[in-house]
Every structure is written in structure tokens, then in C-alpha cells.
Amino acid sequence: MKSIFSLLIFLIFSNYYTGHSTKTKIKNYGNVKTLYISEFNFGEKTVSAEELKMEILGRLSKQIADKLGFKDTIMLERKTYLYPDKTSLFILEKNDTNYKLLKLDEGHKKMQGGSGVAIRIQSQKVSVKDVLKMVEYVIKNRKKLHEKLIKTNYWLSETDKILILANSQEFISEITKVKSKLVDEIINEQIPLSDNPTMKIFWKNNEFVFGMNLDKLKPGNDYADLMKSQFRFCDFEYYINSQDSYFFLIFHNAKTFSYFDGNEDNTTQKITIEKKSWYPFRLGKEKIGTKIILYDTTEYFYVYNINKKLLQKIE
């Protein structure tokens, strides 16, 4: 078997060194503007939970604005990172709704302009509910937002830094620990996160729900009955969508994943996998029968048997 897979090495790793640039997504939801920046871009088939959260936050922040009668601009900026030792950054401010996190790494700090309110977060992960509480807070307390900003170091590299105005972690904790009736009203809203003809992802009851799109199949279709199961998570790291969109690999964290294709018999709860690099795993270009190939470095790759739920390392 090893000789067979060796023939596929070139195909598997031919695009290994591509896609390590920043992934940036900008969207508008009425008067709500969102910017998402990740440290690495592995294409549309590899999507982090943090990216999906921006879709949720954009739509639900619009609802909060409407319920509070706020018609000015709300800017939500979110930058993620893979390394756990970085310090989180929070900036809640008014009348500065231009894009800022895009420019901070270039050393720019004076970019004020644009009426409204802004929430800027640089961290590894966020809670949807916590950010919605921040949205409610900045709308209700916009006149005194600048009073809560303090001088903070923003590190451009290990040795280079600039001084910016940001919020303390203690201040952010004061906001998120308070219960909100408004946030509780909308937190269970169902938000569709994929319009793929094969798969379906949505957010409901503060959970991510994965399923296969069976809307076009007639009732009683054998395939529909076989593929009707769903997979639910409160949070995860990222998912990998297969080339033909007929299965997902959902990584709960850096070293644990589940396989899901809508068939309950094939679904795995958690498979542990060794990992060396900081990069997300990637799929080989081809599926071989009931086996799939995934990798994170050029030193080895893994073969996962869907039916047997077994993982084998090939070096």
C-alpha cells in the first residue's frame, strides 16, 4: 500500500506551500460592517469557526441595532492568530469606523474617522454571546467609550512596538459577565452559514450544526433516509470540506477530529491525530475508495479508513 500512496505524494503536496497568506473577508449587514482577518489562508475548503462567527455576529448585531433604534455605523473587526501565547486585544470606541486592524501591523495608528461605534478584537477565539454583549454596550454607552481606553503596547514584532489606545481585559470582563435580556432574546436565532447544494451548515441555540443538504430530494428517498443525521458542536477549530462537498473533517482542536458525511454509521465522535506544525491539516486531492489522505507537513501523511474508523500514519 505504501508504494501506491507514494505515487500520490506529488499530487498531495503539490500545493502544500500555497495559501499561507492572510485571509481577509469584508461584509456588510445593513449598517453593520464586518472585517475578518486570519493569519493563514488555506482556501475556501478550510474554514475556521471564528470565520463563521463573523457571519453570525454581523447578522445578530444588526438585530441588536434595530431593536435599540441605532442607525449609525457599527464596525466589527476581528483578527485571529494560531499561537496561544499572544495577548488578546480589545478596542471599543466611537467615531472611528474605518478599517484599523488591517493597518496596525504596518505601524499606522492615526486612522480616525467615520461616525458610529466600533468593536475591534484580536484573539485566538471569541464567544458569540460575549461579543453581542459588547455590541449592546457600545450602542448604549457610546458617549463615554473613550474614557475606558488606556495606552497599550501593540507589538509589530518581538522587538518593535507602537503605542495605541485599547481596553483592559478587566473592563471587557465587566461587560461580558453582566446578563443581557436582549442578547438572550436573539442568541437562539437560526443563522444559515452555507448555501452549498450538497452540504448544510447553520447556527442555532448557540451551536454549530452540520448536515447534508437534502432539500431537493423527494420524501421517502433512500438516500435522504441514509444521510439525514446531523452533527452539533458548541465550538470547534476548523472544518475541511471535501473536494466534492460530500464529507467534512471537523477539527475540535489541533489534534482531534471527527468525520461526518450525514451517515450516522460513518460518523466518528473523536479521532486523535499527531501533529507537528502550527498549520491546519489539509486533504489530499483525491479520495481512494473508502480512504482519505490528510497531512500537515511534507514529512508524513495520514490515511483514514472511513468504514473501519482507523487512522494510519505513512512516513
Side-chain angles (χ1 to χ4, degrees):
M1 182 178 72
K2 185 174 179 180
S3 61
I4 295 174
F5 287 115
S6 295
L7 296 175
L8 299 173
I9 290 294
F10 176 76
L11 287 176
I12 295 171
F13 295 117
S14 60
N15 63 347
Y16 178 78
Y17 291 105
T18 64
H20 291 194
S21 59
T22 297
K23 185 174 189 177
T24 303
K25 294 186 73 172
I26 295 174
K27 286 191 174 183
N28 291 344
Y29 305 88
N31 60 323
V32 179
K33 298 161 57 177
T34 65
L35 167 66
Y36 170 79
I37 311 170
S38 68
E39 284 196 83
F40 298 99
N41 180 3
F42 288 90
E44 295 303 314
K45 293 293 184 180
T46 302
V47 179
S48 73
E50 300 308 299
E51 180 178 337
L52 296 181
K53 288 176 187 177
M54 287 305 294
E55 179 87 12
I56 299 163
L57 289 169
R59 295 185 183 280
L60 295 185
S61 294
K62 173 60 176 170
Q63 291 191 31
I64 291 176
D66 290 345
K67 289 179 180 294
L68 295 178
F70 186 76
K71 300 184 183 302
D72 213 339
T73 300
I74 300 175
M75 164 62 78
L76 299 179
E77 280 191 296
R78 176 88 174 90
K79 184 176 180 181
T80 66
Y81 52 76
L82 295 176
Y83 309 104
D85 56 344
K86 280 192 176 181
T87 303
S88 297
L89 175 76
F90 297 89
I91 305 175
L92 278 54
E93 52 191 343
K94 67 173 183 177
N95 296 334
D96 193 1
T97 55
N98 291 330
Y99 298 109
K100 179 175 286 188
L101 293 183
L102 280 172
K103 293 292 185 179
L104 275 180
D105 284 340
E106 299 174 11
H108 301 284
K109 53 183 179 178
K110 292 184 178 179
M111 296 162 291
Q112 285 145 355
S115 64
V117 293
I119 297 173
R120 299 179 166 94
I121 304 173
Q122 180 174 284
S123 66
Q124 198 171 26
K125 296 187 78 65
V126 294
S127 157
V128 169
K129 197 168 189 176
D130 285 351
V131 178
L132 292 177
K133 288 181 180 180
M134 295 180 209
V135 172
E136 181 182 6
Y137 180 90
V138 296
I139 292 174
K140 290 182 175 180
N141 299 277
R142 54 190 179 277
K143 293 183 178 180
K144 58 182 182 180
L145 289 178
H146 279 286
E147 299 174 9
K148 303 297 183 179
L149 296 171
I150 59 176
K151 292 181 179 180
T152 305
N153 287 327
Y154 185 85
W155 291 91
L156 305 174
S157 66
E158 292 184 1
T159 57
D160 190 17
K161 64 183 178 182
I162 57 175
L163 202 61
I164 64 171
L165 292 175
N167 297 109
S168 67
Q169 182 63 63
E170 290 75 18
F171 171 68
I172 298 300
S173 296
E174 289 177 8
I175 296 173
T176 58
K177 71 182 180 182
V178 175
K179 290 186 177 182
S180 166
K181 290 183 179 180
L182 177 54
V183 172
D184 288 342
E185 281 179 18
I186 66 171
I187 196 68
N188 295 329
E189 185 86 10
Q190 179 167 315
I191 307 293
L193 299 172
S194 171
D195 56 1
N196 189 292
T198 306
M199 65 181 188
K200 183 180 288 188
I201 305 172
F202 58 92
W203 192 84
K204 186 177 183 180
N205 297 328
N206 214 14
E207 287 184 319
F208 292 99
V209 183
F210 287 77
M212 306 311 289
N213 192 346
L214 306 176
D215 295 341
K216 295 183 179 180
L217 298 180
K218 296 180 180 180
N221 184 293
D222 291 340
Y223 180 79
D225 291 338
L226 182 66
M227 309 297 287
K228 64 183 180 181
S229 69
Q230 294 181 335
F231 221 1
R232 298 173 181 270
F233 306 95
C234 292
D235 206 349
F236 63 99
E237 288 294 323
Y238 62 94
Y239 75 81
I240 306 174
N241 182 15
S242 59
Q243 193 70 26
D244 55 10
S245 296
Y246 279 101
F247 69 85
F248 303 93
L249 290 183
I250 306 164
F251 279 82
H252 307 269
N253 52 52
K255 298 181 179 182
T256 308
F257 74 90
S258 293
Y259 173 89
F260 176 76
D261 61 9
N263 187 334
E264 190 172 356
D265 291 337
N266 292 340
T267 301
T268 53
Q269 292 301 318
K270 289 187 178 181
I271 299 291
T272 301
I273 188 168
E274 295 178 24
K275 186 171 179 61
K276 286 187 177 180
S277 76
W278 286 98
Y279 304 135
F281 277 96
R282 304 186 74 180
L283 282 175
K285 288 187 175 181
E286 301 294 337
K287 177 182 174 184
I288 308 171
T290 60
K291 300 179 180 65
I292 57 175
I293 300 170
L294 58 156
Y295 60 93
D296 68 322
T297 78
T298 56
E299 300 173 16
Y300 53 81
F301 60 94
Y302 290 93
V303 179
Y304 178 69
N305 188 310
I306 298 167
N307 291 348
K308 295 182 179 180
K309 300 180 177 61
L310 294 176
L311 185 72
Q312 182 179 5
K313 185 177 182 180
I314 308 294
E315 297 182 283

